[in-house]
Amino acid sequence: MINDKIEKLQGKTILITGAAGFIGSNLCEFLSNHHITVRGIDNFATGHRKNIQNLKAHKNFEFIQGDICNLKDCQSACQGVDFVLHQAALGSVPRSIEDPIRTNDANINGFLNMLVASKDQGVQRFVYAASSSTYGDSKSLPKVEQNIGKPLSPYAITKYVNELYADNFKRIYDLDSVGLRYFNVFGRKQDPNGAYAAVIPKFVIQLMKHQSPVINGDGTYSRDFTYIDNVIQMNILAITTDHEDALNQVYNTAVGDRTTILEMANLLKTYLSEFDSKIADIKIKHGPNRKGDVPHSLASIEKAQKYLGYQPSHKFKEGLQEAIKWYWKHY
């Protein structure tokens, strides 16, 4: 199905912000491998050069080292571009709590710069990374796009503001957009290191080093863990849809299933022990709950199925096994 959609992108130019990051670099690689003209921009605040190193051999890939907080960089990057896949942001709830100003600068001011540049340069469609954190303190499950609560962190606030700005730019400037509310994305190229590393790659590397991972709380918090290939699919569907009603909407980008943190950690032990039997005996530890964390996250994907034709290619366990193989090979 995705290959049929890719045909529509032949002859088009796609700008990917945050191109050296986890999701951005996967999008760059996927599109470049399908012979689509791709331009990437990144300031390497959280991205890594190694993530795009192999793309230098692609004649249809161009990279700009620039900052979305600089409007001139955004204007330059958007010149001659048909579609924007905006992935650049400062992620992590804990980071936003420790440094709300930097988070705001990148996630709101940078986002606004990209919208303005897209409008000024005649971009056809602006697809952006929204977040499941927007659901905030809403207790209803599964999460349905139109029902949100109060945000629980500065990061969540910035991602909700993105949605408001995108809607505003359609009303005022007629810039079409699609927001994708990502639910705990994981997979190849996700950075396992640093203070704000996501839980799956962090735990994988700790277990590979025979260290005990520490779960925040009792492990009963649950997540709709979403493998990177599902996210790639949603981005492709969003930029290629001809369905008028599908535009200027936000969509949950998830699997529609949930796994507790403790279940996830035990699955990691099981799958990794196939490579190293000692991992099966490593104890899992528990620490205090983390401020700003949403207790439970489970997406309804009905809207994405209806308007975009989305069908997740990977359930959680399938994606986890693929991710583990990648980390075992590369770390």
Side-chain angles (χ1 to χ4, degrees):
M1 182 182 70
I2 287 298
N3 288 339
D4 294 339
K5 301 291 184 181
I6 287 291
E7 291 287 321
K8 295 183 177 181
L9 299 175
Q10 296 299 330
K12 304 291 186 181
T13 299
I14 300 173
L15 172 66
I16 299 174
T17 69
F22 161 43
I23 297 174
S25 63
N26 272 287
L27 286 166
C28 286
E29 186 169 352
F30 178 85
L31 288 164
S32 295
N33 285 343
H34 283 84
H35 312 292
I36 308 302
T37 301
V38 176
R39 181 181 298 158
I41 182 171
D42 205 301
N43 67 350
F44 298 109
T46 59
H48 301 284
R49 293 180 191 276
K50 64 183 179 182
N51 285 343
I52 54 172
Q53 195 67 34
N54 63 324
L55 295 176
K56 290 184 177 179
H58 285 273
K59 62 182 180 182
N60 56 322
F61 178 75
E62 173 194 2
F63 180 74
I64 299 170
Q65 184 167 344
D67 192 336
I68 61 168
C69 290
N70 183 324
L71 180 58
K72 286 184 179 179
D73 286 352
C74 297
Q75 295 280 13
S76 176
C78 285
Q79 284 182 356
V81 164
D82 297 289
F83 303 110
V84 171
L85 296 178
H86 179 63
Q87 312 300 314
L90 276 181
S92 169
V93 166
R95 188 204 320 262
S96 76
I97 291 172
E98 290 185 23
D99 195 349
I101 292 175
R102 271 192 74 213
T103 298
N104 191 88
D105 284 346
N107 296 4
I108 294 182
N109 296 342
F111 186 87
L112 181 57
N113 283 341
M114 281 303 306
L115 281 177
V116 169
S118 296
K119 168 186 72 73
D120 289 351
Q121 300 301 327
V123 167
Q124 294 175 32
R125 191 174 302 172
F126 184 89
V127 175
Y128 62 97
S131 171
S132 61
S133 66
T134 298
Y135 289 104
D137 64 0
S138 170
K139 291 182 171 58
S140 62
L141 291 176
K143 305 298 184 186
V144 179
E145 284 86 348
Q146 66 267 30
N147 300 327
I148 62 172
K150 290 184 179 179
L152 296 175
S153 66
Y155 173 74
I157 291 171
T158 67
K159 291 312 235 179
Y160 181 46
V161 170
N162 287 177
E163 295 183 10
L164 297 175
Y165 261 128
D167 180 69
N168 203 245
F169 266 60
K170 171 59 180 176
R171 294 170 187 269
I172 298 173
Y173 307 110
D174 200 29
L175 175 64
D176 283 326
S177 67
V178 177
L180 304 177
R181 286 184 186 158
Y182 293 161
F183 277 69
N184 296 89
V185 186
F186 72 97
R188 59 192 176 272
K189 297 189 179 184
Q190 190 172 27
D191 190 358
N193 300 308
Y196 305 114
V199 64
I200 288 179
K202 181 179 180 180
F203 280 14
V204 167
I205 299 304
Q206 287 175 332
L207 289 167
M208 284 170 60
K209 293 179 178 178
H210 296 167
Q211 298 171 354
S212 291
V214 179
I215 292 175
N216 299 311
D218 62 7
T220 59
Y221 278 16
S222 61
R223 296 289 180 263
D224 195 335
F225 291 109
T226 307
Y227 188 57
I228 183 63
D229 285 8
N230 296 325
V231 172
I232 292 172
Q233 181 192 156
M234 279 291 284
N235 275 273
I236 301 305
L237 292 173
I239 53 174
T240 57
T241 182
D242 294 323
H243 197 324
E244 277 295 317
D245 293 340
L247 300 177
N248 306 299
Q249 302 277 352
V250 291
Y251 296 95
N252 291 337
T253 299
V255 176
D257 197 7
R258 62 175 171 146
T259 306
T260 69
I261 306 301
L262 186 56
E263 287 170 341
M264 177 273 294
N266 282 320
L267 279 172
L268 288 180
K269 285 177 58 177
T270 299
Y271 295 151
L272 281 165
S273 64
E274 295 175 13
F275 298 92
D276 179 354
S277 60
K278 293 179 181 178
I279 291 174
D281 299 322
I282 296 172
K283 298 283 189 254
I284 295 170
K285 297 181 179 179
H286 294 267
N289 282 322
R290 202 169 62 171
K291 287 182 180 177
D293 269 357
V294 176
H296 300 288
S297 191
L298 170 66
S300 164
I301 58 173
E302 289 182 11
K303 184 177 177 182
Q305 290 173 320
K306 177 181 178 181
Y307 289 104
L308 297 177
Y310 171 60
Q311 293 294 337
S313 61
H314 290 71
K315 294 290 189 181
F316 172 58
K317 290 181 181 179
E318 297 167 328
L320 195 63
Q321 287 173 307
E322 285 199 14
I324 283 171
K325 288 175 186 174
W326 186 88
Y327 283 109
W328 193 263
K329 181 179 178 180
H330 291 86
Y331 282 86

